[in-house]
Amino acid sequence: MEQVRQTRNVAVLIFEQVEPLDFAGPFEVFIAGSNSGQDFNVFTVAENDSPIKASGGLSINPAYTIANCPKPDILVVPGGWGSRKEMNNETITNWIRETSNDVEIILSVCTGALLLAKATLLDGLKVTTNRLAINELRDVVPTSTEILEEARYVDNGKIVLSAGVSAGMDAALYVVEKLLGEDTAIEAANIMEYDWKRD
């Protein structure tokens, strides 16, 4: 008899001036790879329950706050212009650090790496971010952190980081493959009619 697989909670962090595709791309990937919601329960989470205004003026209502969201198994930390402000928001970075203790995987997209750096999660890891933000990342990571400027995404085990914007979708598909197998990831890419660029 096939063992029933437990649904994993995928929390997608959003904040003011988040880059839309940084969070919506991985959100869509996990939905497409969820087997109609059986494998992944995907939701947004923000510091509070006020509508979030993403880059370009897109307004999003978070499903949960960091105080009441279901316990994440996977945490997606996107980037965008707002990450430069939120990296200094200790409420957010403390929550990321605390959440990191119990999650299976953290996926950073683009300048979400800045938040992970400020949450002191990148010590000794190999990391990447948006090509245009490499120097910003270099300024906030410890000397033990190795920045891979040309990597589309990089896997440290628990922490996976991707380069900018659409690279987050590639990394999310990689996470689906890592957890549920290549066939599921390929099927998810096909559902989205997306040309998956593997690293």
Side-chain angles (χ1 to χ4, degrees):
M1 193 166 86
E2 185 180 340
Q3 187 176 0
V4 178
R5 209 160 38 205
Q6 188 163 350
T7 305
R8 289 175 168 98
N9 286 329
V10 181
V12 181
L13 180 66
I14 55 174
F15 44 81
E16 289 293 310
Q17 295 302 305
V18 64
E19 178 64 33
L21 194 59
D22 279 11
F23 79 87
F27 193 103
E28 181 68 28
V29 167
F30 286 110
I31 290 173
S34 73
N35 188 19
S36 300
Q38 293 182 66
D39 291 327
F40 298 119
N41 171 38
V42 191
F43 52 84
T44 53
V45 58
E47 182 177 359
N48 55 59
D49 58 8
S50 301
I52 295 292
K53 192 167 280 188
S55 297
L58 175 68
S59 182
I60 314 109
N61 293 314
Y64 297 99
T65 71
I66 59 176
N68 68 16
C69 80
K71 183 178 172 183
D73 299 294
I74 299 166
L75 174 61
V76 179
V77 181
W81 286 110
S83 62
R84 279 82 170 176
K85 178 183 176 188
E86 300 305 332
M87 65 189 269
N88 297 309
N89 179 343
E90 289 188 3
T91 301
I92 291 288
T93 56
N94 287 341
W95 179 78
I96 291 171
R97 185 183 317 109
E98 289 164 13
T99 302
S100 73
N101 293 323
D102 298 319
V103 298
E104 194 171 355
I105 291 178
I106 296 178
L107 170 58
S108 162
V109 181
C110 192
T111 51
L114 298 174
L115 279 79
L116 266 57
K118 287 292 194 158
T120 64
L121 296 179
L122 301 183
D123 190 13
L125 301 188
K126 294 182 177 180
V127 304
T128 194
T129 189
N130 188 305
R131 307 280 182 269
L132 302 176
I134 291 291
N135 288 333
E136 289 177 82
L137 183 60
R138 189 172 282 119
D139 287 343
V140 294
V141 295
T143 55
S144 63
T145 303
E146 182 182 354
I147 297 175
L148 305 180
E149 295 187 31
E150 300 304 316
R152 195 153 176 83
Y153 53 86
V154 57
D155 182 5
N156 293 279
K158 183 183 245 190
I159 298 181
V160 177
L161 301 99
S162 77
V165 196
S166 65
M169 295 180 69
D170 296 325
L173 283 163
Y174 170 79
V175 170
V176 171
E177 177 185 38
K178 182 172 175 170
L179 297 176
L180 301 179
E182 182 181 41
D183 289 348
T184 300
I186 289 172
E187 182 182 3
N190 289 340
I191 287 170
M192 298 185 298
E193 297 193 29
Y194 179 72
D195 182 15
W196 181 16
K197 293 179 179 65
R198 302 201 198 193
D199 219 10

